[in-house]
Amino acid sequence: MSHPREHQVEITPEVLLKAYACGIFPMAESADDPGLYWIEPERRGVIPLGEFAITDRLARTVRSDRFEIRIDHDFEAVIDGCAAPAEGRGSTWINRRIRKLYTDLHSRGFCHSVEAWEDGALVGGLYGVRLGRAFFGESMFHRSRDASKVALVHLVARLKKGGFTLLDTQFVTDHLRRFGAIEVSRRHYHRLLAQALDGEADFYCWGPGEAITGAVCLQSVSQTS
């Protein structure tokens, strides 16, 4: 994995999208570090949408509609949640420039949040970048048990219904491995990426303000094509 440091290059939303199309993405050393560097992992994390795994317990939680899932309702609050220290995570790589870049991408329709709400409060969610038929997951957080997991299940349901072919997780963690995440070589990833960029998908296959029940979500997740 290479970490070429940014050298006086202005990273705009347009530059960021071109980077994703080439298989690279930016990170910061810490929230306090104003600099960014580009990453292109030797081994890339992906979740094959056709092999997404969900436990029976989590399926019951999704079906219970304990969380209200909203799309792009409060994007900045999701980034705040992802940037905040959490149990087992004392620091974050999301600095001010990362927030600004992805908020700008969101305003242009290329970055989305999937949010879990409970009793009127945002308790978990995730955000990521959409390009062609690819979705690049950036970060997730939770303040209530299973909130981010349910958001991920709803994301996969939306991606499958909308015609996406690639869910990029950047890296594979033990947490993501439980959902079926695997590592692929850089060469294999670039083939998947090229296929995903050759076409269009519909992230709003369900409207952003349309409430999707857990039962509908699970039905989409279970589709084999």
Side-chain angles (χ1 to χ4, degrees):
M1 178 191 312
S2 58
H3 289 188
R5 194 80 179 179
E6 175 197 358
H7 291 293
Q8 297 182 359
V9 175
E10 182 185 4
I11 301 179
T12 64
E14 292 77 16
V15 168
L16 193 53
L17 289 177
K18 289 179 181 178
Y20 275 100
C22 293
I24 62 178
F25 55 90
M27 290 188 76
E29 290 287 357
S30 70
D32 298 325
D33 185 349
L36 299 177
Y37 58 85
W38 295 109
I39 292 183
E40 185 181 17
E42 291 285 349
R43 306 285 296 176
R44 191 70 164 242
V46 300
I47 296 180
L49 292 171
E51 300 169 29
F52 183 69
I54 177 173
T55 65
D56 291 341
R57 187 190 70 80
L58 182 56
R60 286 194 296 272
T61 301
V62 172
R63 191 175 288 109
S64 74
D65 290 324
R66 170 184 156 197
F67 302 107
E68 177 192 358
I69 302 300
R70 303 178 187 176
I71 305 298
D72 293 338
H73 179 77
D74 197 340
F75 181 83
E76 292 191 31
V78 172
I79 289 195
D80 288 343
C82 291
E87 184 178 352
R89 184 185 70 192
S91 62
T92 176
W93 53 269
I94 300 175
N95 65 10
R96 185 181 304 174
R97 292 184 66 194
I98 290 284
R99 289 175 189 243
K100 174 83 165 55
L101 277 169
Y102 288 89
T103 300
D104 286 350
L105 276 187
H106 171 67
S107 69
R108 299 175 189 212
F110 289 101
C111 199
H112 302 286
S113 59
V114 181
E115 309 159 11
W117 292 73
E118 187 175 29
D119 299 327
L122 177 66
V123 294
L126 57 88
Y127 75 95
V129 174
R130 172 193 59 80
L131 199 59
R133 295 184 294 166
F135 189 90
F136 308 87
E138 285 296 318
S139 188
M140 60 172 58
F141 81 101
H142 71 276
R143 300 186 184 113
S144 182
R145 183 185 180 186
D146 292 335
S148 62
K149 295 178 183 177
V150 172
L152 177 60
V153 176
H154 273 263
L155 170 67
V156 169
R158 184 171 290 269
L159 298 183
K160 293 187 76 169
K161 181 176 174 61
F164 287 78
T165 61
L166 175 62
L167 174 51
D168 176 348
T169 67
Q170 299 179 347
F171 305 104
V172 173
T173 63
D174 289 340
H175 174 68
L176 291 174
R177 207 179 299 276
R178 298 188 186 102
F179 291 96
I182 61 172
E183 285 186 336
V184 297
S185 68
R186 182 182 293 174
R187 179 176 295 181
H188 186 193
Y189 175 77
H190 277 281
R191 286 199 298 267
L192 296 174
L193 179 60
Q195 292 168 0
L197 294 178
D198 184 21
E200 291 296 328
D202 184 9
F203 190 81
Y204 289 133
C205 51
W206 291 302
E210 184 178 349
I212 304 303
T213 66
V216 170
C217 169
L218 292 173
Q219 184 178 32
S220 178
V221 168
S222 68
Q223 296 299 311
T224 56
S225 60

